[in-house]
Amino acid sequence: MKKHDDSTHFGFKTVAKDEKANMVAGVFHSVAGKYDLMNDVMSFGIHRLWKRFTIDCSGVRRGQKVLDLAGGTGDLAAKFSRMVGPEGEVVLADINESMLQVGRDKLRDMGIVGNVSYVQADAEKLPFPDDTFDLITIAFGLRNVTDKDAALRSMLRVLKPGGRLLVLEFSKPDVELLSKAYDVYSFHVMPRMGEWIAKDKESYQYLAESIRMHPDQETLKDMMQDAGFEQVTYHNLTGGIVALHRGFKF
Amino acid sequence: MPVLAVVRASIERALNVALANDPRAKQRLAGVQGKCFRLNVSGLPEPITLFFYADAISLLGPDYESVDGSVTVALSDLSELSDASKVTQMMQSGRVTITGDPVFAQQAAQVFLKLDVDFEELFAHYLGDVPGYWLAQGVDKLKQMRPNAARMQKRASDVLTQETQLAASPLFFALYQDDVRALGKQLDALEKRLDSIAKRSSTPPKTE
Ligand SMILES: C[S@@+](CC[C@H](N)C(=O)[O-])C[C@H]1O[C@@H](n2cnc3c(N)ncnc32)[C@H](O)[C@@H]1O
């Protein structure tokens, strides 16, 4: 059957575009409280290394303005807040109130106050003026966005000339065997762990499926270029299970 | 390399604990706060890249490019760096290269010189025992050092070779293609076990 233009993926399901945002919201409302714990358990803590690499590739400096988009519980925002210092600014933006709340509480408990603001925003329609940020990061967020092209264009708009976008996202493992093992892990082990630890199998089933449906490395690179980003490159991490894409606005 | 990233994280934690326990650390950090310093030591697996905050540091990877100042020196010359009288001569003879403000380099070093840290122990994780010992000496016992540079260099490269092997340790099995087949099997077995446990415990969970 031919897919209608107003439909999109929610994991492996095809749903109406205007439904996806609500369904994704449901997933993250549901996982917010246990999100950090599950992240550590399911990635064996390796997500911390992927995020460290993202920081390394950010080039961020004191005094700069950073947007951590789909920032959720704020791991990256916390680090950027320290790096930009009191003269800089970090905006932690997420479409989901529950995730933002968990992020806000976590950062406050870490003593991070003053240069971080929290904004509930949809990546497709960012509520910021043109040319605002030196750096935008979106970590494990883009695959949840309904219209990824619109989101990338929106990010380009709010980025300053000379600024950079970093997209950290699950991708396609570059070795067939790794790909298979990873499939077993994500479709069988991950939802089961979600059921046991977070008592929420469906959300983790969605997360696994959404990983598979996300564009591969080259496709995302093309999408970033089509949106207007320049010098787009990517770096595979953990054999391509995750990739970090980087693009600039000139 | 993921192993280096893990090691970097643990060194960072240890240095931050030491900084937190040093009542005068904040004073020393004040001068370098918000800046990034890189120490390139030829023969080491990667440069040491430090980002300074008001009360702590981050140890960044080699991909971070917004560095405010750097020092490049051979492993065998490292210990001489703490002797300010020798630095100019070393610069003139090209044995050390400093970019950025040399005062910043000195201030960056001061942050660590007075720390109560067993640098030997700390850097042993990073570089293996011998260069770890050597770097430690470089930090707090420089004056008495008479290392056999050539031997150290050789040992350092041996250790680095071992480090590469270490990278394929079981913890990081998922990262290494050779182990993937085994991983797939383990996951299959795990899945079966999960299935059987799930069947056995299929009574509905209690709600709180
Ligand atoms: C998997 S979490 C990632 C959180 C965090 N960046 C991290 O790396 O740990 C994905 C986040 O994307 C957010 N999200 C989903 N769709 C979004 C959209 N259209 N705009 C902004 N955020 C969105 C979710 O609410 C969720 O917090």
Side-chain angles (χ1 to χ4, degrees):
Chain A
M1 204 203 298
K2 198 165 176 281
K3 213 177 74 169
H4 291 288
D5 278 345
D6 55 0
S7 65
T8 186
H9 293 291
F10 176 76
F12 288 167
K13 296 190 193 92
T14 301
V15 299
K17 270 188 179 167
D18 48 10
E19 270 176 45
K20 172 164 172 168
N22 281 339
M23 296 171 86
V24 169
V27 167
F28 286 103
H29 279 305
S30 152
V31 302
K34 294 248 167 73
Y35 180 80
D36 282 347
L37 168 70
M38 292 303 287
N39 240 3
D40 275 338
V41 170
M42 292 197 173
S43 73
F44 308 108
I46 295 176
H47 76 103
R48 291 166 187 270
L49 301 185
W50 297 330
K51 285 174 182 160
R52 283 185 84 97
F53 184 68
T54 307
I55 307 266
D56 288 345
C57 293
S58 71
V60 84
R61 291 173 170 280
R62 186 179 182 152
Q64 287 191 328
K65 215 165 166 180
V66 178
L67 172 63
D68 181 16
L69 183 55
T73 57
D75 284 347
L76 287 175
K79 195 74 172 215
F80 289 137
S81 155
R82 308 210 72 185
M83 293 176 84
V84 300
E87 306 92 332
E89 192 188 335
V90 177
V91 177
L92 173 56
D94 199 289
I95 200 169
N96 192 297
E97 219 184 305
S98 311
M99 291 292 280
L100 264 185
Q101 189 58 47
V102 175
R104 189 197 305 256
D105 292 348
K106 181 167 101 181
L107 267 55
R108 202 190 38 220
D109 291 350
M110 290 166 79
I112 293 171
V113 281
N115 66 354
V116 182
S117 50
Y118 302 85
V119 176
Q120 190 172 1
D122 183 348
E124 292 172 31
K125 295 170 262 191
L126 291 171
F128 308 106
D130 295 359
D131 306 340
T132 302
F133 297 100
D134 298 286
L135 168 73
I136 300 178
T137 53
I138 178 163
F140 307 111
L142 192 61
R143 70 175 191 280
N144 302 297
V145 174
T146 310
D147 187 343
K148 297 176 182 55
D149 296 314
L152 289 169
R153 286 194 302 271
S154 183
M155 291 178 225
L156 185 80
R157 181 184 66 74
V158 302
L159 205 55
K160 283 182 191 169
R164 74 180 73 178
L165 167 68
L166 295 174
V167 182
L168 181 66
E169 193 49 274
F170 289 102
S171 205
K172 193 170 182 323
D174 51 10
V175 177
E176 191 55 27
L177 272 170
L178 181 59
S179 189
K180 283 202 177 118
Y182 183 59
D183 271 358
V184 172
Y185 177 71
S186 48
F187 290 116
H188 300 281
V189 181
M190 231 164 96
R192 207 59 67 77
M193 278 158 93
E195 184 179 13
W196 282 3
I197 303 173
K199 308 275 179 274
D200 183 358
K201 184 175 178 183
E202 282 73 30
S203 295
Y204 287 90
Q205 181 82 33
Y206 158 74
L207 292 178
E209 291 177 6
S210 66
I211 289 169
R212 174 68 91 73
M213 298 308 290
H214 189 69
D216 66 15
Q217 287 86 335
E218 284 296 326
T219 311
L220 180 55
K221 183 179 171 188
D222 290 345
M223 286 166 68
M224 286 174 68
Q225 280 166 342
D226 291 346
F229 287 95
E230 294 181 45
Q231 292 184 11
V232 180
T233 52
Y234 64 82
H235 191 103
N236 281 339
L237 299 164
T238 316
I241 287 178
V242 162
L244 180 70
H245 282 70
R246 176 160 71 175
F248 291 84
K249 171 177 173 177
F250 291 120
Chain B
M1 187 184 287
V3 168
L4 285 179
V6 175
V7 172
R8 228 183 279 138
S10 68
I11 293 180
E12 178 184 284
R13 203 170 310 125
L15 287 175
N16 282 329
V17 168
L19 287 168
N21 288 327
D22 179 342
R24 276 197 285 268
K26 276 192 185 162
Q27 216 175 310
R28 302 198 300 275
L29 280 163
V32 291
Q33 182 185 348
K35 291 187 183 165
C36 181
F37 174 74
R38 175 165 283 160
L39 178 64
N40 299 293
V41 183
S42 53
L44 296 196
E46 63 176 32
I48 295 169
T49 306
L50 295 150
F51 198 106
F52 298 100
Y53 309 122
D55 55 359
I57 56 107
S58 274
L59 194 50
L60 302 177
D63 293 284
Y64 185 78
E65 82 256 34
S66 305
V67 172
D68 297 288
S70 72
V71 168
T72 303
V73 65
L75 189 57
S76 49
D77 288 335
L78 188 63
S79 62
E80 286 183 47
L81 267 188
S82 76
D83 187 345
S85 65
K86 285 193 183 162
V87 173
T88 316
Q89 190 205 332
M90 285 170 79
M91 282 170 74
Q92 280 163 356
S93 64
R95 283 160 64 212
V96 60
T97 312
I98 298 183
T99 64
D101 182 357
V103 176
F104 170 49
Q106 265 173 344
Q107 286 175 322
Q110 286 304 318
V111 170
F112 300 101
L113 282 173
K114 298 194 176 91
L115 276 188
D116 180 21
V117 167
D118 186 345
F119 283 97
E120 180 178 335
E121 168 84 24
L122 197 61
F123 284 102
H125 293 298
Y126 206 9
L127 306 162
D129 287 340
V130 174
Y133 169 78
W134 209 69
L135 254 191
Q137 300 295 319
V139 174
D140 66 3
K141 294 179 206 148
L142 293 158
K143 302 241 160 58
Q144 313 101 11
M145 284 276 301
R146 293 285 177 273
N148 175 335
R151 207 184 87 229
M152 291 296 178
Q153 203 105 44
K154 161 90 176 65
R155 298 286 289 270
S157 82
D158 289 350
V159 169
L160 294 181
T161 315
Q162 286 160 18
E163 199 271 344
T164 318
Q165 288 158 6
L166 181 74
S169 75
L171 180 63
F172 292 100
F173 60 92
L175 316 182
Y176 291 92
Q177 299 147 10
D178 291 350
D179 289 343
V180 167
R181 194 186 299 272
L183 172 63
K185 279 187 187 150
Q186 283 168 21
L187 290 175
D188 278 344
L190 176 62
E191 200 199 343
K192 280 188 193 123
R193 241 181 304 152
L194 290 174
D195 269 336
S196 70
I197 295 170
K199 267 181 211 140
R200 261 186 280 145
S201 60
S202 57
T203 43
K206 278 189 210 138
T207 46
E208 282 123 51

